């Protein structure tokens, strides 16, 4: 594999991680689910032993959560290219949540952020690079 091909794959996969966080904060569940393969698997950092598998189950999991205001911050993203059609990554996530202000101003932030990480697996599909797995876990107790 040429170095420029490896760099392109790394960039595409890192972009998916950041795009996912932005879509989550925008509550764009359809767009998020489309970032997974048809049989994609996800575990939330707060429920690492409870896998959600498949686009239909993912959509149900996202839309059944109570609404909230959130801001995800992704850091320390390292993508490992395994082949021309598969890659993996590790990234750290900070999750800030809050609730709407009664006066319509900036939301009120809840106590400290959740700190965790994701171990991702990616596959190249006809739709482009997609998550085949997103396994989250917490680094510190909430």
């Amino acid at each position: 594999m040429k170095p420029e091909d490896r760099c392109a794959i790394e960039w595409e996969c890192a972009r998916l991680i950041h795009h996912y966080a932005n879509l989550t904060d925008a509550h764009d569940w359809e767009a998020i689910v489309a970032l997974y393969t048809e049989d994609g698997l996800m575990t939330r950092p707060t429920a690492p032993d409870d896998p959600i598998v498949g686009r239909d189950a993912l959509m149900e999991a996202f839309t059944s959560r109570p609404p909230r205001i959130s801001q995800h911050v992704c850091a320390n993203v390292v993508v490992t290219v395994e082949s021309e059609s598969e890659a993996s990554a590790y990234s750290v996530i900070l999750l800030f949540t809050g609730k709407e202000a009664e006066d319509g101003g900036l939301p009120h932030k809840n106590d400290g952020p959740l700190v965790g990480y994701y171990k991702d697996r990616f596959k190249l599909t006809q739709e482009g690079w997609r998550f085949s797995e997103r396994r989250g876990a917490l680094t510190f107790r909430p």
Side-chain angles (χ1 to χ4, degrees), residues 40-126:
L41 176 148
M42 176 193 72
T43 65
R44 290 185 169 113
T46 55
D49 298 322
D50 188 16
I52 303 162
V53 182
R55 286 182 172 171
D56 290 340
L58 289 163
M59 180 61 81
E60 173 64 25
F62 287 124
T63 57
S64 66
R65 292 182 77 169
R68 68 178 180 186
I69 297 169
S70 65
Q71 182 68 66
H72 289 78
V73 179
C74 303
N76 302 355
V77 177
V78 177
V79 176
T80 302
V81 177
E82 296 168 3
S83 72
E84 292 179 0
S85 62
E86 293 188 358
S88 61
Y90 176 88
S91 60
V92 173
I93 190 86
L94 298 175
L95 170 59
F96 297 87
T97 59
K99 51 189 165 189
E100 289 188 26
E102 293 177 16
D103 65 4
L106 287 174
H108 297 282
K109 186 176 79 61
N110 294 339
D111 291 336
L114 288 178
V115 181
Y117 59 89
Y118 279 104
K119 291 182 179 179
D120 297 315
R121 300 213 40 84
F122 305 95
K123 287 189 179 177
L124 182 59
T125 71
Q126 291 184 353

Side-chain angles (χ1 to χ4, degrees), residues 14-57:
R15 181 185 181 283
L16 273 178
I17 292 168
H18 294 289
H19 190 48
Y20 186 99
N22 291 336
L23 291 171
T24 300
D25 295 335
H27 306 143
D28 193 342
W29 311 130
E30 287 183 23
I32 290 170
V33 169
L35 297 180
Y36 283 91
T37 59
E38 287 290 335
D39 61 347
L41 176 148
M42 176 193 72
T43 65
R44 290 185 169 113
T46 55
D49 298 322
D50 188 16
I52 303 162
V53 182
R55 286 182 172 171
D56 290 340

